[in-house]
Amino acid sequence: MRAIAENGDKAARNMALEALGSDMTFRNLRSVPNLHLEVIRKRPFSFMSAGEKQRTIYTANNEQALPGVVVRAEGSPATCEPAVDEAYDGLGATYDFFWDVFKRNSIDDEGMPLNGTVHFGTNYSNAFWDGQRMVFGDGDGEIFNRFTIALDVIAHELTHGVTEDEAQLIYTGQSGALNESISDVFGALIKQYTLKQTADQADWLIGSGIFTDKIKSGGDHPAAIRSMQAPGTAYDDPVLGKDPQPAHMDAFVNTFEDNGGVHINSGIPNHAFYLAAINIGGNAWEKAGRVWYQTLLDPALKPNTKFQRFAELTIENAKRFEVEAQVRDAWQQVGITPPS
Ligand SMILES: [Zn+2]
């Protein structure tokens, strides 16, 4: 967004500045720890049994008031409006993944209902989790398509809710980059699980389809927000600039921007997960995904955990799945060598 604000035409500049402005408001809301989850938990949901999802999709009708008006509730038929149905299906795919693979009952593991608001703002070019719901902009149509288009982006945002409920990784510096990376890992896994792709069949792109075809890729794949296989190649475009993600500790970026580079240095743990999944082979969610999930639930994972300690914990958790060597090798390839 900063690059677009500097390099874009007038309309693109205005879009980026507006997204940056409202983004700050909601990110600040999210940094109030667990406030929203606590409020939600107090509501009685005894009529729901575990494994049953409860989705509600609202429309903000291109304004910025939340939650907006209900357009599709659980069990009601498709509306044939792409943003509404994609949001409904994306929330459903995310719920199903966490339930089927980990027996986790929604974000808080207590059956929390999943709410989404579409058509937020005018040409709003982002999606976010505000602690209570997923919110999706329509994009400006020039640089960004509608944000419901990519399942991994929906899953990424909901996974922030899971992280907030479990490890509460502080959203700055290395712990913030781990928070971001965990959302990318489960975003990618949920897409792969839904498409029934093995680790070597997957594209390992985050947000493929979010950019219009005017945006140039930095690799041999469609432009995307991030690449876990080759961080730094997701896009390379005159307006957006080049994907700034490093894939190795040698290229770690020290910056005050982006909460200390949370969306930049996440490339390093992202690539470690990709390498672990490729080393192990088969479906990434079956072993590599379980190792990362158990690490996320591990009481030893503290809110201020950095890359080195996180790597150690994944290796510890890899033992019970007999993939310790593959996980250790993955971290070594990104420049992190945990003690043996
Ligand atoms: Zn995120």
Side-chain angles (χ1 to χ4, degrees):
M1 286 302 173
R2 280 175 206 271
I4 296 166
E6 283 172 22
N7 309 323
D9 61 21
K10 192 159 184 275
R13 247 187 352 256
N14 288 339
M15 172 277 281
L17 290 171
E18 201 199 317
L20 282 167
S22 44
D23 201 41
M24 284 310 246
T25 315
F26 288 106
R27 275 191 205 289
N28 290 343
L29 260 180
R30 189 166 78 196
S31 68
V32 180
N34 274 338
L35 180 69
H36 304 292
L37 286 175
E38 290 308 319
V39 171
I40 291 161
R41 276 208 191 103
K42 291 199 178 81
R43 296 182 202 156
F45 286 110
S46 50
F47 57 93
M48 294 294 296
S49 48
E52 270 181 59
K53 49 191 177 279
Q54 194 190 341
R55 292 163 288 181
T56 310
I57 309 299
Y58 301 75
T59 176
N61 282 319
N62 297 117
E63 292 178 10
Q64 296 206 357
L66 291 170
V69 182
V70 175
V71 280
R72 190 172 176 194
E74 187 63 49
S76 67
T79 62
C80 298
E81 195 190 335
V84 173
D85 295 330
E86 286 165 356
Y88 184 87
D89 293 342
L91 294 178
T94 305
Y95 181 95
D96 289 344
F97 173 84
F98 279 110
W99 176 253
D100 295 348
V101 180
F102 304 128
K103 283 289 172 281
R104 183 184 188 86
N105 186 12
S106 191
I107 284 173
D108 59 351
D109 200 18
E110 293 177 38
M112 179 178 162
L114 297 177
N115 297 324
T117 294
V118 299
H119 302 310
F120 178 78
T122 307
N123 297 335
Y124 184 75
S125 293
N126 211 344
F128 58 89
W129 161 256
D130 78 345
Q132 287 190 69
R133 66 181 65 78
M134 276 295 316
V135 181
F136 303 95
D138 292 330
D140 62 341
E142 285 291 314
I143 296 172
F144 293 104
N145 288 316
R146 63 181 184 275
F147 277 72
T148 48
I149 218 164
L151 169 58
D152 48 3
V153 168
I154 299 178
H156 171 110
E157 295 302 331
L158 286 176
T159 303
H160 277 308
V162 177
T163 299
E164 193 174 307
D165 190 60
E166 297 291 349
Q168 290 154 34
L169 288 161
I170 299 164
Y171 203 67
T172 179
Q174 287 198 18
S175 58
L178 287 170
N179 191 322
E180 266 306 309
S181 176
I182 286 164
S183 276
D184 279 352
V185 162
F186 290 99
L189 289 178
I190 288 162
K191 182 171 147 188
Q192 291 171 25
Y193 180 76
T194 304
L195 297 175
K196 306 279 171 258
Q197 290 176 330
T198 59
D200 59 357
Q201 289 169 337
D203 63 12
W204 294 96
L205 296 169
I206 302 294
S208 182
I210 288 285
F211 289 126
T212 64
D213 53 18
K214 292 176 187 165
I215 300 301
K216 293 183 173 58
S217 169
D220 190 17
H221 52 70
I225 309 273
R226 289 180 286 279
S227 167
M228 298 178 70
Q229 179 172 2
T233 71
Y235 55 87
D236 189 356
D237 180 85
V239 174
L240 284 176
K242 188 179 173 301
D243 173 6
Q245 284 212 309
H248 191 282
M249 287 303 282
D250 288 349
F252 186 91
V253 178
N254 285 298
T255 174
F256 290 110
E257 285 187 17
D258 182 33
N259 285 49
V262 297
H263 295 89
I264 298 173
N265 293 313
S266 57
I268 295 166
N270 273 2
H271 194 53
F273 181 83
Y274 160 81
L275 291 168
I278 293 293
N279 280 347
I280 294 165
N283 295 324
W285 61 87
E286 286 177 9
K287 287 196 171 169
R290 270 180 220 282
V291 169
W292 256 245
Y293 184 68
Q294 287 307 319
T295 303
L296 183 60
L297 268 54
D298 192 331
L301 179 61
K302 303 298 181 199
N304 61 352
T305 298
K306 296 187 169 62
F307 291 178
Q308 175 79 33
R309 180 71 182 135
F310 184 81
E312 287 169 24
L313 291 173
T314 60
I315 290 164
E316 198 53 41
N317 281 285
K319 286 177 183 168
R320 80 176 84 161
F321 304 105
E322 295 172 339
V323 292
E324 185 190 350
Q326 293 94 322
V327 174
R328 180 181 295 278
D329 173 76
W331 286 109
Q332 277 170 340
Q333 286 194 56
V334 302
I336 294 174
T337 306
S340 49

